[in-house]
Amino acid sequence: MGPGLRKFALIVHLVFSVGWIGAVVVYLVLGISAVTSKDAQTVRAAWIAMELTGWSAIVPLACGSLLTGLVMALGTPWGLFLHYWVLITFVLTVLCAVVLLLHMPTVSSLADVAREADGAALDGLGGDLLHPGVGLLVLLVITVLNVYKPRGVTPYGWRKQEEQRTTSQP
């Protein structure tokens, strides 16, 4: 991938990734509102908004981040399997996306309950704090790994480096 295309791909990846983090923060704020509010309409609105935010923003941004991250890994010298930080970032991103996709049907079910429930039933509905809280923490770890790029080459990366050294020596 040439430098111009690589920069474009990086921009697209950053937009998806930062958007994903921002959408999770919004979702977490809605979850906190659902937990702390005494007003039934606020709880109902929070759950409906969490479902909308999850399916319309978080899921597409997560999928976009995963796909563009894969493009960046495979289209740049960093590679997907050469450096531990890239591999760990990819595995954590896949894990977050899978947990998200498995969790969203539950969010939809609870949003449906919130739509139909009366005020007393909404009191026990609570909010969704664990998934977005842990998810945000993992996304921030991924961000730190991508900024600091800690040293460490995988065994596959080490073999590739050795091959390059031996073929470049006279």
Side-chain angles (χ1 to χ4, degrees):
M1 179 181 321
L5 183 57
R6 187 171 53 241
K7 284 183 182 181
F8 177 75
L10 179 60
I11 289 169
V12 173
H13 178 64
L14 288 172
V15 167
F16 277 119
S17 300
V18 171
W20 186 5
I21 291 170
V24 169
V25 169
V26 168
Y27 185 98
L28 185 58
V29 168
L30 290 167
I32 291 169
S33 296
V35 168
T36 59
S37 180
K38 302 290 184 210
D39 179 42
Q41 293 301 331
T42 300
V43 174
R44 178 178 286 117
W47 273 104
I48 293 169
M50 285 190 292
E51 179 188 31
L52 181 63
T53 302
W55 285 116
S56 300
I58 299 174
V59 169
L61 290 167
C63 293
S65 179
L66 179 61
L67 291 175
T68 57
L70 192 57
V71 167
M72 291 300 298
L74 297 175
T76 64
W78 291 109
L80 182 58
F81 301 108
L82 300 177
H83 301 272
Y84 280 114
W85 72 268
V86 176
L87 190 57
I88 291 168
T89 294
F90 180 70
V91 168
L92 289 175
T93 303
V94 169
L95 179 68
C96 282
V98 167
V99 168
L100 171 66
L101 291 172
L102 291 174
H103 181 62
M104 281 309 299
T106 303
V107 173
S108 292
S109 295
L110 291 170
D112 288 341
V113 168
R115 281 184 190 91
E116 304 299 323
D118 63 2
L122 285 169
D123 287 341
L125 197 55
D128 188 13
L129 302 179
L130 179 65
H131 283 92
V134 173
L136 181 60
L137 180 64
V138 173
L139 292 175
L140 293 175
V141 167
I142 291 169
T143 302
V144 169
L145 285 172
N146 280 290
V147 169
Y148 283 98
K149 299 174 180 49
R151 291 185 182 181
V153 180
T154 65
Y156 172 76
W158 187 83
R159 282 193 306 276
K160 285 293 188 184
Q161 285 180 351
E162 285 300 309
E163 287 173 12
Q164 287 177 349
R165 283 187 202 119
T166 57
T167 57
S168 66
Q169 291 179 354

